[in-house]
């Protein structure tokens, strides 16, 4: 083919919609083109494809995703600098072969010409018109002691900056030349000077009063230290962030000590740590020698472990075996540290631990101080009355067996919370309070299949909870209680030994409620209504929870018919549970079922009579006599004409004529 194209590049501007861009130059293979977007080289097949009807020839570059608006799209001819045609002696010498070789040579020439436009080490994506110019003075004095750099506009290279020679502190009897920089150490703050006239120094500092002061130009001085500003007010506490992932275990920290199994209140030697009880969970005093295992004095440090003004909890001590971090014991410091001349005694309370220490174990002892007791804040406004009962402090146990798991423990009969059918709770809560008498009342409701509701909620993560219905009577297992339950709703999971709160809400006794239904929904921050399975008749006949938090009837929600309407739409993802009971109708008594035996004395009086409802048909013989008359109630108007003529009327009174 004839080679009419004289360019080796074509540029376009992306518009966030166009994906196909034409090559205005020929190529011999798909790989003969380089594609840039904003100076970044793109990869064929990964970012774009090449379409050419026949080689050599022009074609189209098609991107997988349209280049963004205003981006620079550059297509650059890049035919390899090779000659693939092999001419054989006495072989064919066709026009097509010759033309192909000439076309390839022409492409090389055009590309070489394009390359010449990118001198000074700039990239292929920069054109000659984009290069900075060179403006260097032909006068040597204008270039002396200056460096080559860009002008303020970044468009030209020129001699722009004098070269300074840093000579350190000024000294006498020293030959200084132009552009030497020295530091004047006499004034405070110190000053820096640059030499503008060569000379040999003499005299003394400061330079400002020196014999050769006129040979120096002051540059800059150290600024004086500003006054310390006043302490700003303490900012408000920010919201608690989400828990990050656990990082890799770091190196052992703390004091290097050696564990001693002896439990006596006497010095056990240099670098020793020991307790007043061989069972570490029962220890109440920790002893620390005044010198650690590295022979460093530590008594001053240990003496400070009771400095917190939080008297009941001065801090936390962790003792860890160096050979295995899985062997440890953690204690709270509960009182003042006492010095025993060569060692210290620290009152402690056991928190948790694992494994056991042996005599002479290399160990580390770390201390974490409790902050001082803060000032009492102002009393907040009284919150609204909650709908649930008070919670009890417990630790969740992942063991699922029907056996006592220890004081302060609560557990289920299934490791999957939603599949649990039995709830277990120890007689003592995690604070050591025996609540078995209260727990024994949790099945007192006369409702046979709905005794009440139990809620377990994580203290660290309140969004982790589970709600169960007590489905029948509980059983006292001497040291713990167990209750048959039905899972209603839950979110998240509980870990072993996790601190939780346990709440209980009692169901009302059996009565006028015909049935009880449980309806659920998931909040979306917009829906405010929940369709109920029945019409409970009143908001007070419905118990409602959002993510396990009880809602106030009449305040947080209202019920009309079988529709529950929230004041505020539940947030996205929130689990909503509504437990409702309907009203039972007693119907209309059948004829003849209401007798005198079922009526209280005087339960029917004149207000219950309709005028004309009582006539002679409804009166038995002699049922009305003088005892039934009110004075003045009978006059002439109430007497018939056939009555005894000896009876006359005088006004409204009756006169008997005998």
């Amino acid at each position: 083919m004839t080679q009419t194209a004289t360019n080796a590049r074509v540029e376009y501007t992306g518009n966030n919609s166009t994906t196909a861009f034409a090559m205005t130059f020929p190529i011999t293979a798909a790989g003969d083109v380089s594609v840039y977007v904003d100076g970044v080289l793109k990869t064929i097949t990964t970012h774009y494809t090449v379409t050419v009807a026949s080689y050599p020839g022009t074609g189209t570059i098609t991107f997988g995703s349209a280049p963004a608006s205003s981006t620079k799209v550059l297509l650059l001819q890049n035919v390899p600098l090779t000659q693939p045609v092999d001419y054989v002696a006495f072989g064919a010498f066709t026009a097509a072969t010759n033309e192909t070789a000439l076309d390839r040579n022409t492409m090389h020439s055009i590309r070489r010409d394009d390359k010449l436009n990118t001198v000074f080490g700039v990239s292929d994506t920069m054109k000659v018109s984009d290069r900075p110019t060179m403006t260097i003075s032909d006068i040597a004095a204008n270039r002396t002691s200056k460096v080559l750099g860009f002008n303020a506009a970044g468009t030209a290279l020129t001699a722009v900056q004098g070269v300074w020679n840093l000579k350190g502190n000024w000294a006498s009897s020293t030959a200084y030349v132009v552009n030497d920089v020295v530091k004047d150490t006499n004034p405070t703050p110190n000053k820096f000077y640059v030499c503008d006239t060569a000379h040999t120094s003499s005299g003394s500092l400061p330079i400002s009063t020196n014999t050769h002061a006129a040979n120096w130009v002051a540059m800059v001085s150290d600024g004086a230290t500003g006054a310390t500003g006043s302490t700003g007010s303490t900012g408000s506490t920010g919201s608690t962030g989400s828990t990050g992932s656990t990082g890799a275990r770091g190196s052992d920290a703390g004091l290097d000590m050696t564990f001693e199994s002896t439990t006596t209140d006497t010095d056990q030697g240099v670098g020793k740590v020991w307790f007043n009880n061989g069972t570490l969970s029962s220890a109440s005093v920790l002893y620390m020698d005044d010198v650690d295992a590295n022979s460093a004095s530590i008594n001053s440090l240990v003496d400070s472990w009771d400095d917190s003004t939080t008297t009941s909890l001065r801090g936390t001590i962790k003792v860890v075996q160096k050979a295995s971090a899985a062997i440890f014991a953690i204690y709270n410091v509960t009182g003042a540290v006492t010095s025993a001349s060569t060692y210290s005694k620290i009152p402690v309370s056991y928190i948790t631990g694992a494994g056991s220490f042996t005599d002479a174990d290399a160990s580390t002892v770390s201390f974490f101080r409790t902050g001082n007791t803060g000032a009492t804040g102002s009393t907040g406004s009284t919150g609204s009355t909650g709908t649930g009962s008070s919670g009890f402090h417990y630790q969740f146990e992942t063991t699922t067996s029907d056996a006592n798991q220890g004081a302060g423990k609560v557990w289920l009969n299934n490791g999957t919370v939603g599949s649990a059918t039995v709830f277990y709770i120890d007689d003592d809560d995690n604070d050591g309070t025996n609540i078995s008498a209260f727990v024994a009342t949790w099945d007192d409701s006369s409702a046979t299949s709905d005794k009440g509701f139990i809620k377990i909620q994580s203290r660290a993560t309140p969004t982790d909870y589970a709600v169960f219905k007590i489905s029948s009577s509980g059983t006292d297992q001497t040291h713990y209680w167990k209750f048959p339950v039905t899972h209603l709703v839950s979110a998240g999971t509980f870990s072993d030994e996790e601190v939780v709160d346990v709440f209980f809400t009692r169901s009302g006794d059996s009565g006028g409620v015909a049935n009880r239904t449980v309806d659920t929904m998931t909040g979306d921050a917009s829906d405010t209504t929940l369709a109920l399975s029945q019409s409970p008749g009143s908001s007070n006949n419905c118990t409602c929870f959002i993510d396990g938090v009880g809602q106030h009837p009449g305040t947080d929600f209202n019920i009309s018919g079988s529709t529950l309407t929230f004041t505020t739409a539940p947030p996205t993802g929130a689990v909503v549970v509504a437990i409702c009971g309907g009203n039972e109708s007693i119907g209309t008594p059948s004829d003849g079922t209401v007798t005198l035996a079922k009526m209280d004395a005087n339960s029917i009086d004149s207000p219950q009579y309709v005028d004309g409802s009582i006539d002679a048909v409804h009166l038995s013989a002699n049922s009305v006599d003088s005892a039934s008359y009110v004075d003045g109630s009978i006059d002439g108007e109430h007497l018939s004409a056939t009555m005894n003529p000896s009876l006359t009327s005088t006004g409204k009174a009756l006169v008997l004529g005998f």
Side-chain angles (χ1 to χ4, degrees), residues 421-592:
T421 58
V422 180
F423 168 83
Y424 305 95
I425 184 169
D426 194 80
D427 289 349
D428 295 330
D429 67 10
N430 204 43
D431 300 317
T433 303
N434 189 300
I435 65 168
S436 59
F438 173 61
V439 176
T441 69
W442 287 9
D443 59 3
D444 283 358
S445 173
S446 62
T448 56
S449 62
D450 189 355
K451 301 286 188 180
F453 301 91
I454 297 172
K455 179 185 177 184
I456 308 172
Q457 185 173 31
S458 169
R459 279 201 172 186
T461 310
T463 53
D464 293 345
Y465 68 93
V467 181
F468 301 88
K469 177 177 70 176
I470 299 178
S471 53
S472 61
S473 298
T475 305
D476 185 357
Q477 299 291 99
T478 305
H479 297 295
Y480 65 99
W481 277 80
K482 65 178 184 179
F483 293 91
V485 295
T486 301
H487 174 263
L488 296 179
V489 65
S490 60
T493 58
F494 302 106
S495 59
D496 196 42
E497 307 286 342
E498 183 174 0
V499 179
V500 297
D501 286 318
V502 179
F503 302 85
F504 170 73
T505 303
R506 185 184 186 275
S507 293
D509 292 329
S510 300
V513 178
N515 61 330
R516 189 173 294 274
T517 59
V518 178
D519 297 290
T520 63
M521 68 177 285
T522 301
D524 60 5
S526 62
D527 262 347
T528 59
T529 60
L530 171 62
L532 304 175
S533 303
Q534 62 168 320
S535 299
S538 168
S539 300
N540 294 324
N541 291 340
C542 187
T543 301
C544 186
F545 301 92
I546 298 179
D547 275 343
V549 178
Q551 304 298 299
H552 298 275
T555 301
D556 298 324
F557 69 92
N558 288 283
I559 292 177
S560 176
S562 61
T563 300
L564 184 151
T565 303
F566 292 100
T567 304
T568 303
T572 300
V575 178
V576 182
V577 179
I579 306 168
C580 301
N583 293 329
E584 184 176 11
S585 175
I586 62 174
T588 303
S590 303
D591 292 343

Side-chain angles (χ1 to χ4, degrees), residues 276-315:
N276 69 335
N277 198 303
T279 303
L280 297 190
S281 60
S282 301
S284 59
V285 180
L286 180 148
Y287 304 98
M288 291 276 292
D289 193 77
D290 287 349
V291 178
D292 68 6
N294 300 313
S295 299
S297 177
I298 60 172
N299 61 307
S300 296
L301 173 63
V302 176
D303 284 345
S304 70
W305 289 3
D306 61 357
D307 287 355
S308 172
T309 59
T310 305
T311 57
S312 60
L313 178 55
R314 309 298 180 95

Side-chain angles (χ1 to χ4, degrees), residues 592-605 608-609:
T593 59
V594 181
T595 64
L596 290 174
K598 295 181 173 63
M599 300 175 65
D600 290 336
N602 301 316
S603 61
I604 299 179
D605 207 342
Q608 280 75 46
Y609 301 143

Side-chain angles (χ1 to χ4, degrees), residues 84-104:
V85 178
D86 185 15
Y87 289 98
V88 181
F90 307 106
F93 193 72
T94 64
T97 302
N98 292 334
E99 187 176 21
T100 299
L102 289 172
D103 287 342
R104 190 178 185 90

